[in-house]
Each structure stands twice: as structure tokens, then as C-alpha cells.
Amino acid sequence: MDFTVDTATAAVEASFDATPDPRLREILQSLTRHLHGFVRETSPSIEEWNSAIEFLTDVGKTCTDTRQEFILLSDVMGVSMLVETINGQDVGTESTVLGPFHMTESPARELGESIDLLGGGRACVVSGTVRSTAGTPLANALVDVWQCTEDGFYDVQQPHVQPEGNGRGLFRTDEQGRFWFRTVVPSHYPIPTDGPVGRLLQATSRHPYRPAHVHFIAAADGYEEVTTHAFVAGSAYIDSDAVFAVKKGLLVDFVETDDTVLAAEFGVEPPFIHARFDIELQEKETL
Ligand code: BEZ
Ligand code: FE
């Protein structure tokens, strides 16, 4: 049959009919329909299509062992959050993007230890309890945290300034499911803008900033793992995250307190900043 604008989609869809894996077949045929629909709707010139291909080529060339520009593209297009939200647990703590800075293993730390290896910042304690969605505290749960400094940089972005593992910690909850650690209040910061994704943001008058947050991955045997953030309520860019990751339920007040009992419990001098972030995990379905 002649290839025409009207027959193109059916022809390409049919070319995948014999794909043995039914899920792969479904995905490729759906991709064909949507991709062709996009091309029909926008009717790109050959020049425009070539620049789209050049852009994607550039995205690929920017990727290295420590830089994943395709993930960044997926992030700024809101696709990472869409996939995360579709796959996230329907009850309990909501999930958000993993982001590109969980690239090194967090060092195991004792409860109460500081993840701020630089010192000198405003003392802050983050504490919480990991529970099942039925309310049972989960002892021995893993709580992996990572965050940037008060200046908005992760350790891996400043290898000559920050010690390795700064802003990172892997904690185990106590018998009552509790975790707590000392840190500094993270800052908002820009996602990497020195590549094609940065050019895309600039060409579309979009800013590159993420509101201040602490990353978490919480895991316990028999429960769904959750990748999420505690967002600093009131942070700059809280209403316009460059990667669309903010959810209302993840806003956390970082409050200055001079409560001496709380300070003694956490082993800090008052006044200090306290943030409470409880995490709820959904039980895994047993088949
Ligand atoms: C982050 O929060 O670390 C992050 C997430 C998406 C893109 C860039 C950074
Ligand atoms: Fe981050």
C-alpha cells in the first residue's frame, strides 16, 4: 500500500504485530500512534525535525557516568513525576522523583549522628517515625537521606569543598520505629543548566530551581519502598518546582525551637531548628 499521511500510522503499527512480547508490542504500537499524532498536529518542517534530532543527540552526548541528561529531560517534562505517581503507593507517604544525586551510597550512621560534616551551620534536627499504613511502628526500617548544603550544593558537585558523604546518611529505625539525625536546613538550588536541558529551559523562559528539600528512601521488610522528599514549607520555588515534584502532603515545617527537653533528647543546644517527617509504608501484597 502507498505510504500516505492517512495510511502511515496503521502501516507502522502493523509492522509490530508479530512482536512476541505482548507488552512490548502494546508499548510500541501506542508510541507509534502518539508520535504520529504529535507529528500530524505540529506538522514540523524538515529543518525543525532535524533540530529536534540534534537536540536529542546532544542530550545523549551530555550523558556520562555522573550526568544523566535524559533523566533530567524526563524530569523537566514532568514525565518522571507522572511515572512515579502512577507507580507510587495509593495510601501512605506519597512518592517523588529520585533525582540524579543519589549516585553514591549513603554512609551508615547511628541515630542522632550529624550528616553535616562541614559544621558551622544553623543546627537542625530531622526526626520521625516509620509506620505501616495501619499505624504499626516499623523497627529496623532503613531510612536513606541525602540533601544539599545551606548554599545549595550536593557533595558530589563540590568534591574539593565538601567531604565525601556530606549531607548523606543511612539510618536504621529504633524499636519504636523512630529515626532522627542532625543536619543543616537545605537551600533551594538550580538543576544542572549547562547542557541541552538548560538551553530548553532558557528558550522557554522557565527557571531551573527546585525548592529546598531533604531526599528520603524508606524501606522495611514486607513493605513497599518509598522514594520521597520532605520539602521545606515556605521555601522559594515551592509553587514552581522545575521538576514538578511537590505534593502538599510532603510539606514540612522547619521550626526554630528553644525547647530544652527536646534539645536534650536530640543532644543539641537550644535554640535549634526541628523538622518532623513521619513516613508510612504500605504492606506488600502477597500473591
Ligand atoms: C534532585 O532533587 O536532586 C533533582 C531532581 C531532579 C532533577 C535534578 C535534581
Ligand atoms: Fe535534590
Side-chain angles (χ1 to χ4, degrees), residues 72 75 97 99-101 154 189 191 210 213 215 229 243:
L72 208 55
D75 292 341
V97 286
F101 295 119
Y154 287 87
Y189 64 84
I191 63 171
R210 298 219 56 214
H213 57 271
H215 293 262
H229 300 8
V243 303

Side-chain angles (χ1 to χ4, degrees), residues 106-117:
S106 302
R109 300 193 194 281
E110 298 297 324
L111 289 171
E113 210 180 313
S114 185
I115 63 169
D116 166 40
L117 309 179

Side-chain angles (χ1 to χ4, degrees), residues 10-64:
V12 178
E13 263 195 84
S15 77
F16 292 120
D17 276 349
T19 307
D21 179 336
R23 178 65 174 151
L24 181 62
R25 182 170 65 240
E26 180 195 354
I27 287 171
L28 289 172
Q29 293 187 325
S30 172
L31 178 65
T32 303
R33 287 191 297 277
H34 287 277
L35 195 55
H36 284 212
F38 163 72
V39 170
R40 254 190 282 275
E41 184 182 316
T42 56
S43 203
S45 66
I46 288 176
E47 248 176 26
E48 283 172 335
W49 191 243
N50 282 342
S51 49
I53 287 182
E54 258 170 50
F55 174 77
L56 290 176
T57 305
D58 226 358
V59 170
K61 285 184 177 167
T62 306
C63 294
T64 65

Side-chain angles (χ1 to χ4, degrees), residues 42 113 176 197 235:
T42 56
E113 210 180 313
Q176 293 161 67
V197 171
S235 163

Side-chain angles (χ1 to χ4, degrees), residues 33 59 69 76 154 188 191 248 265 286:
R33 287 191 297 277
V59 170
E69 197 77 356
V76 301
Y154 287 87
H188 59 278
I191 63 171
K248 268 208 296 289
E265 196 180 310
T286 43

Side-chain angles (χ1 to χ4, degrees), residues 45-184:
S45 66
I46 288 176
E47 248 176 26
E48 283 172 335
W49 191 243
N50 282 342
S51 49
I53 287 182
E54 258 170 50
F55 174 77
L56 290 176
T57 305
D58 226 358
V59 170
K61 285 184 177 167
T62 306
C63 294
T64 65
D65 285 350
T66 53
R67 173 83 179 252
Q68 232 303 356
E69 197 77 356
F70 269 114
I71 295 184
L72 208 55
L73 181 58
S74 155
D75 292 341
V76 301
M77 292 304 293
V79 178
S80 304
M81 267 312 284
L82 198 51
V83 173
E84 195 61 58
T85 305
I86 287 168
N87 286 284
Q89 47 183 18
D90 19 285
V91 287
T93 301
E94 294 170 292
S95 56
T96 59
V97 286
L98 174 71
F101 295 119
H102 188 251
M103 50 174 59
T104 59
E105 233 169 76
S106 302
R109 300 193 194 281
E110 298 297 324
L111 289 171
E113 210 180 313
S114 185
I115 63 169
D116 166 40
L117 309 179
L118 294 171
R122 286 192 310 158
C124 171
V125 173
V126 176
S127 69
T129 299
V130 180
R131 291 192 185 86
S132 72
T133 48
T136 312
L138 300 177
N140 210 30
L142 269 176
V143 179
D144 187 353
V145 299
W146 67 105
Q147 66 164 80
C148 67
T149 58
E150 287 177 306
D151 297 330
F153 295 100
Y154 287 87
D155 58 348
V156 289
Q157 295 175 291
Q158 293 185 309
H160 305 297
V161 177
Q162 298 186 41
E164 213 178 295
N166 187 46
R168 298 176 194 268
L170 185 61
F171 297 92
R172 285 244 178 224
T173 56
D174 69 6
E175 282 306 306
Q176 293 161 67
R178 296 177 303 184
F179 66 87
W180 66 100
F181 58 90
R182 281 176 291 149
T183 184
V184 290

